[in-house]
Coordinates of all heavy atoms in Angstrom, one line a residue:
L323 N -12.4 15.1 -8.4 CA -13.8 15.3 -8.7 C -14.7 15.1 -7.4 O -15.7 15.9 -7.2 CB -14.3 14.4 -9.8 CG -13.7 14.7 -11.2 CD1 -14.2 13.7 -12.2 CD2 -14.1 16.1 -11.7
L324 N -14.4 14.1 -6.7 CA -15.3 13.8 -5.5 C -15.0 14.8 -4.4 O -15.9 14.9 -3.5 CB -15.1 12.3 -5.1 CG -15.5 11.3 -6.1 CD1 -15.3 9.9 -5.6 CD2 -17.0 11.6 -6.5
L325 N -13.8 15.3 -4.3 CA -13.5 16.3 -3.2 C -14.2 17.5 -3.6 O -14.7 18.2 -2.6 CB -12.0 16.6 -3.2 CG -11.1 15.5 -2.5 CD1 -9.6 15.8 -2.6 CD2 -11.5 15.3 -1.0
V326 N -14.3 17.9 -4.8 CA -15.0 19.1 -5.2 C -16.5 19.0 -5.0 O -17.2 19.9 -4.5 CB -14.8 19.5 -6.7 CG1 -15.6 20.7 -7.1 CG2 -13.3 19.8 -6.8
N327 N -17.1 17.8 -5.3 CA -18.5 17.6 -5.2 C -18.7 16.1 -5.0 O -18.7 15.3 -5.9 CB -19.3 18.0 -6.4 CG -20.7 17.8 -6.3 OD1 -21.3 17.5 -5.2 ND2 -21.5 17.8 -7.5
P328 N -18.9 15.6 -3.8 CA -19.2 14.2 -3.5 C -20.4 13.6 -4.2 O -20.4 12.4 -4.5 CB -19.4 14.1 -1.9 CG -18.8 15.4 -1.4 CD -18.9 16.4 -2.5
Y329 N -21.3 14.5 -4.5 CA -22.5 14.0 -5.2 C -22.3 13.7 -6.7 O -23.1 13.1 -7.3 CB -23.6 15.1 -5.1 CG -24.3 15.2 -3.8 CD1 -23.7 15.9 -2.8 CD2 -25.5 14.6 -3.5 CE1 -24.2 16.0 -1.5 CE2 -26.1 14.7 -2.2 CZ -25.4 15.4 -1.3 OH -26.0 15.5 0.0
A330 N -21.1 14.0 -7.2 CA -20.7 13.7 -8.6 C -20.7 12.1 -8.8 O -20.8 11.7 -9.9 CB -19.4 14.3 -8.9
I331 N -20.6 11.4 -7.7 CA -20.5 9.9 -7.8 C -21.8 9.4 -8.4 O -21.9 8.3 -9.0 CB -20.3 9.3 -6.4 CG1 -19.9 7.8 -6.6 CG2 -21.5 9.4 -5.5 CD1 -18.5 7.6 -7.2
A332 N -22.9 10.1 -8.3 CA -24.2 9.7 -8.9 C -24.3 10.0 -10.4 O -25.2 9.4 -11.0 CB -25.3 10.5 -8.2
S333 N -23.3 10.6 -11.0 CA -23.5 10.9 -12.4 C -23.1 9.6 -13.2 O -22.1 8.9 -13.1 CB -22.4 11.9 -12.8 OG -22.2 12.0 -14.3
V334 N -24.1 9.2 -14.0 CA -23.9 8.0 -14.8 C -22.8 8.2 -15.8 O -22.0 7.2 -16.1 CB -25.2 7.6 -15.6 CG1 -25.0 6.4 -16.5 CG2 -26.3 7.3 -14.6
G335 N -22.6 9.4 -16.3 CA -21.5 9.7 -17.2 C -20.2 9.5 -16.6 O -19.2 8.9 -17.2
L336 N -20.0 9.9 -15.3 CA -18.8 9.7 -14.6 C -18.6 8.2 -14.3 O -17.5 7.7 -14.5 CB -18.9 10.4 -13.2 CG -17.6 10.3 -12.3 CD1 -17.3 11.6 -11.6 CD2 -17.9 9.2 -11.3
Q337 N -19.6 7.5 -13.9 CA -19.5 6.1 -13.7 C -19.0 5.3 -14.9 O -18.1 4.5 -14.9 CB -20.8 5.5 -13.2 CG -21.3 6.0 -11.8 CD -22.6 5.6 -11.5 OE1 -23.2 4.7 -12.1 NE2 -23.3 6.3 -10.5
L338 N -19.6 5.6 -16.1 CA -19.3 5.0 -17.3 C -17.9 5.3 -17.8 O -17.1 4.5 -18.2 CB -20.3 5.3 -18.4 CG -21.7 4.7 -18.3 CD1 -22.6 5.3 -19.3 CD2 -21.7 3.2 -18.4
S339 N -17.6 6.6 -17.6 CA -16.3 7.1 -18.0 C -15.1 6.4 -17.2 O -14.1 5.9 -17.8 CB -16.1 8.6 -17.9 OG -14.9 9.1 -18.2
F340 N -15.3 6.3 -15.9 CA -14.2 5.7 -15.1 C -14.2 4.2 -15.3 O -13.1 3.6 -15.3 CB -14.4 6.0 -13.6 CG -13.9 7.4 -13.2 CD1 -14.6 8.6 -13.4 CD2 -12.6 7.5 -12.8 CE1 -14.0 9.9 -13.0 CE2 -12.0 8.7 -12.5 CZ -12.8 9.9 -12.6
A341 N -15.3 3.6 -15.4 CA -15.4 2.1 -15.6 C -14.8 1.7 -16.9 O -14.0 0.8 -16.9 CB -16.8 1.6 -15.5
S342 N -15.1 2.4 -18.0 CA -14.5 2.1 -19.2 C -12.9 2.4 -19.3 O -12.2 1.6 -19.8 CB -15.2 2.9 -20.4 OG -15.1 4.3 -20.2
T343 N -12.6 3.5 -18.7 CA -11.2 3.8 -18.7 C -10.4 2.8 -17.8 O -9.3 2.4 -18.1 CB -10.9 5.2 -18.1 OG1 -11.7 6.1 -18.8 CG2 -9.5 5.7 -18.2
L344 N -11.0 2.3 -16.7 CA -10.4 1.3 -15.9 C -10.1 0.1 -16.7 O -9.0 -0.6 -16.6 CB -11.2 1.0 -14.6 CG -10.6 0.0 -13.6 CD1 -9.3 0.5 -13.1 CD2 -11.6 -0.3 -12.5
G345 N -11.1 -0.4 -17.4 CA -10.9 -1.5 -18.3 C -9.8 -1.4 -19.3 O -9.1 -2.3 -19.6
L346 N -9.7 -0.2 -19.9 CA -8.7 0.1 -20.9 C -7.3 0.1 -20.3 O -6.4 -0.5 -20.8 CB -8.9 1.5 -21.6 CG -10.2 1.6 -22.4 CD1 -10.4 3.1 -22.8 CD2 -10.1 0.8 -23.7
I347 N -7.2 0.7 -19.2 CA -5.8 0.7 -18.4 C -5.4 -0.7 -18.1 O -4.2 -1.0 -18.2 CB -5.9 1.7 -17.2 CG1 -6.1 3.1 -17.7 CG2 -4.7 1.6 -16.4 CD1 -6.4 4.1 -16.5
L348 N -6.3 -1.5 -17.5 CA -5.9 -2.7 -16.9 C -5.7 -3.8 -18.0 O -4.8 -4.6 -17.9 CB -7.0 -3.2 -15.9 CG -7.1 -2.4 -14.7 CD1 -8.2 -3.1 -13.8 CD2 -5.8 -2.3 -13.9
F349 N -6.5 -3.8 -19.1 CA -6.5 -4.9 -20.0 C -6.3 -4.7 -21.5 O -6.0 -5.6 -22.2 CB -7.8 -5.7 -19.8 CG -8.2 -6.1 -18.4 CD1 -9.3 -5.6 -17.8 CD2 -7.3 -7.0 -17.7 CE1 -9.5 -5.9 -16.4 CE2 -7.6 -7.3 -16.4 CZ -8.7 -6.8 -15.8
A350 N -6.6 -3.4 -21.9 CA -6.5 -3.2 -23.4 C -5.2 -3.5 -24.0 O -5.1 -4.1 -25.1 CB -6.9 -1.7 -23.7
G351 N -4.1 -3.1 -23.4 CA -2.7 -3.3 -23.9 C -2.4 -4.8 -23.9 O -1.9 -5.3 -24.9
K352 N -2.8 -5.5 -22.9 CA -2.6 -6.9 -22.9 C -3.4 -7.6 -24.0 O -2.8 -8.6 -24.6 CB -3.0 -7.5 -21.5 CG -2.1 -7.0 -20.4 CD -2.6 -7.6 -19.0 CE -1.7 -7.1 -17.8 NZ -2.2 -7.7 -16.5
L353 N -4.6 -7.3 -24.1 CA -5.5 -7.9 -25.2 C -4.9 -7.6 -26.6 O -4.8 -8.6 -27.4 CB -6.8 -7.5 -25.0 CG -7.9 -8.0 -26.1 CD1 -7.9 -9.5 -26.0 CD2 -9.2 -7.5 -25.8
Q354 N -4.5 -6.4 -26.9 CA -4.0 -6.1 -28.1 C -2.7 -6.9 -28.4 O -2.5 -7.4 -29.5 CB -3.7 -4.6 -28.3 CG -3.2 -4.1 -29.6 CD -3.1 -2.7 -29.8 OE1 -3.4 -1.9 -28.8 NE2 -2.7 -2.2 -30.9
H355 N -1.8 -7.0 -27.4 CA -0.6 -7.7 -27.6 C -0.9 -9.1 -27.9 O -0.3 -9.8 -28.7 CB 0.3 -7.6 -26.3 CG 1.5 -8.4 -26.4 ND1 2.6 -8.1 -27.2 CD2 1.9 -9.5 -25.7 CE1 3.5 -9.0 -27.0 NE2 3.1 -9.9 -26.2
A356 N -1.9 -9.7 -27.1 CA -2.2 -11.2 -27.3 C -2.8 -11.4 -28.7 O -2.5 -12.4 -29.3 CB -3.2 -11.6 -26.3
L357 N -3.6 -10.5 -29.2 CA -4.2 -10.6 -30.6 C -3.1 -10.4 -31.6 O -3.2 -11.1 -32.7 CB -5.3 -9.6 -30.7 CG -6.5 -9.7 -29.8 CD1 -7.5 -8.5 -30.1 CD2 -7.2 -11.0 -30.1
E358 N -2.2 -9.6 -31.4 CA -1.1 -9.4 -32.5 C 0.0 -10.4 -32.4 O 0.7 -10.6 -33.4 CB -0.5 -8.0 -32.3 CG -1.4 -6.8 -32.5 CD -0.8 -5.5 -32.3 OE1 0.3 -5.5 -31.7 OE2 -1.5 -4.5 -32.5
K359 N 0.1 -11.1 -31.3 CA 1.2 -12.1 -31.2 C 1.3 -13.2 -32.3 O 2.4 -13.4 -32.8 CB 1.2 -12.8 -29.8 CG 2.4 -13.6 -29.4 CD 2.3 -14.1 -28.0 CE 3.5 -14.9 -27.6 NZ 3.4 -15.4 -26.2
P360 N 0.1 -13.8 -32.7 CA 0.3 -14.8 -33.8 C 0.7 -14.2 -35.1 O 1.2 -15.0 -36.0 CB -1.1 -15.2 -33.9 CG -1.8 -14.9 -32.6 CD -1.2 -13.6 -32.1
F361 N 0.7 -12.9 -35.3 CA 1.1 -12.2 -36.5 C 2.4 -11.6 -36.5 O 2.8 -10.7 -37.2 CB 0.1 -11.2 -37.0 CG -1.4 -11.8 -37.1 CD1 -2.2 -11.7 -36.1 CD2 -1.8 -12.6 -38.2 CE1 -3.5 -12.2 -36.1 CE2 -3.0 -13.1 -38.3 CZ -3.9 -12.9 -37.2
A362 N 3.3 -11.9 -35.4 CA 4.5 -11.2 -35.3 C 5.4 -11.4 -36.4 O 6.3 -10.5 -36.7 CB 5.2 -11.8 -34.0
G363 N 5.3 -12.5 -37.2 CA 6.3 -12.7 -38.3 C 5.7 -12.1 -39.6 O 6.4 -12.3 -40.7
A364 N 4.6 -11.5 -39.6 CA 4.0 -11.0 -40.8 C 4.7 -9.8 -41.3 O 5.5 -9.1 -40.5 CB 2.5 -10.6 -40.6
P365 N 4.6 -9.3 -42.6 CA 5.2 -8.2 -43.1 C 4.8 -6.9 -42.3 O 3.7 -6.9 -41.7 CB 4.7 -8.1 -44.6 CG 4.4 -9.5 -44.9 CD 3.9 -10.1 -43.6
K366 N 5.6 -5.9 -42.3 CA 5.4 -4.7 -41.5 C 4.1 -4.0 -41.8 O 3.4 -3.5 -40.9 CB 6.6 -3.7 -41.7 CG 6.5 -2.5 -40.7 CD 7.7 -1.6 -40.9 CE 7.6 -0.4 -40.0 NZ 8.8 0.5 -40.2
L367 N 3.8 -3.9 -43.2 CA 2.6 -3.3 -43.6 C 1.4 -4.0 -43.1 O 0.3 -3.4 -42.6 CB 2.5 -3.2 -45.1 CG 1.4 -2.4 -45.8 CD1 1.5 -0.9 -45.2 CD2 1.4 -2.4 -47.2
V368 N 1.4 -5.3 -43.1 CA 0.3 -6.2 -42.6 C 0.1 -5.9 -41.1 O -1.0 -5.8 -40.6 CB 0.5 -7.6 -42.9 CG1 -0.6 -8.5 -42.3 CG2 0.5 -7.9 -44.4
R369 N 1.2 -5.9 -40.4 CA 1.2 -5.7 -38.9 C 0.6 -4.3 -38.6 O -0.1 -4.2 -37.5 CB 2.5 -5.9 -38.3 CG 2.9 -7.4 -38.2 CD 4.2 -7.6 -37.4 NE 5.4 -7.3 -38.3 CZ 6.3 -6.3 -38.0 NH1 6.1 -5.4 -37.1 NH2 7.3 -6.1 -38.8
K370 N 0.9 -3.4 -39.3 CA 0.4 -2.0 -39.1 C -1.1 -2.0 -39.3 O -1.9 -1.3 -38.5 CB 1.0 -1.0 -40.0 CG 2.5 -0.6 -39.5 CD 3.0 0.6 -40.3 CE 4.4 1.0 -39.7 NZ 4.9 2.2 -40.5
A371 N -1.5 -2.6 -40.4 CA -3.0 -2.7 -40.7 C -3.7 -3.5 -39.5 O -4.8 -3.1 -39.1 CB -3.2 -3.3 -42.0
L372 N -3.1 -4.6 -39.1 CA -3.7 -5.3 -38.1 C -3.8 -4.6 -36.7 O -4.7 -4.7 -35.9 CB -3.0 -6.7 -37.9 CG -3.2 -7.7 -39.0 CD1 -2.2 -8.9 -38.7 CD2 -4.6 -8.2 -39.0

Side-chain angles (χ1 to χ4, degrees):
L323 290 176
L324 296 182
L325 283 175
V326 173
N327 179 16
Y329 287 82
I331 194 68
S333 168
V334 176
L336 179 141
Q337 295 171 16
L338 290 172
S339 179
F340 277 88
S342 60
T343 306
L344 180 63
L346 292 174
I347 291 172
L348 294 179
F349 305 116
K352 295 180 180 179
L353 179 57
Q354 184 175 358
H355 176 73
L357 293 175
E358 292 177 353
K359 190 174 181 180
F361 305 96
K366 185 176 181 180
L367 187 61
V368 174
R369 283 187 281 114
K370 284 188 175 182
L372 287 172

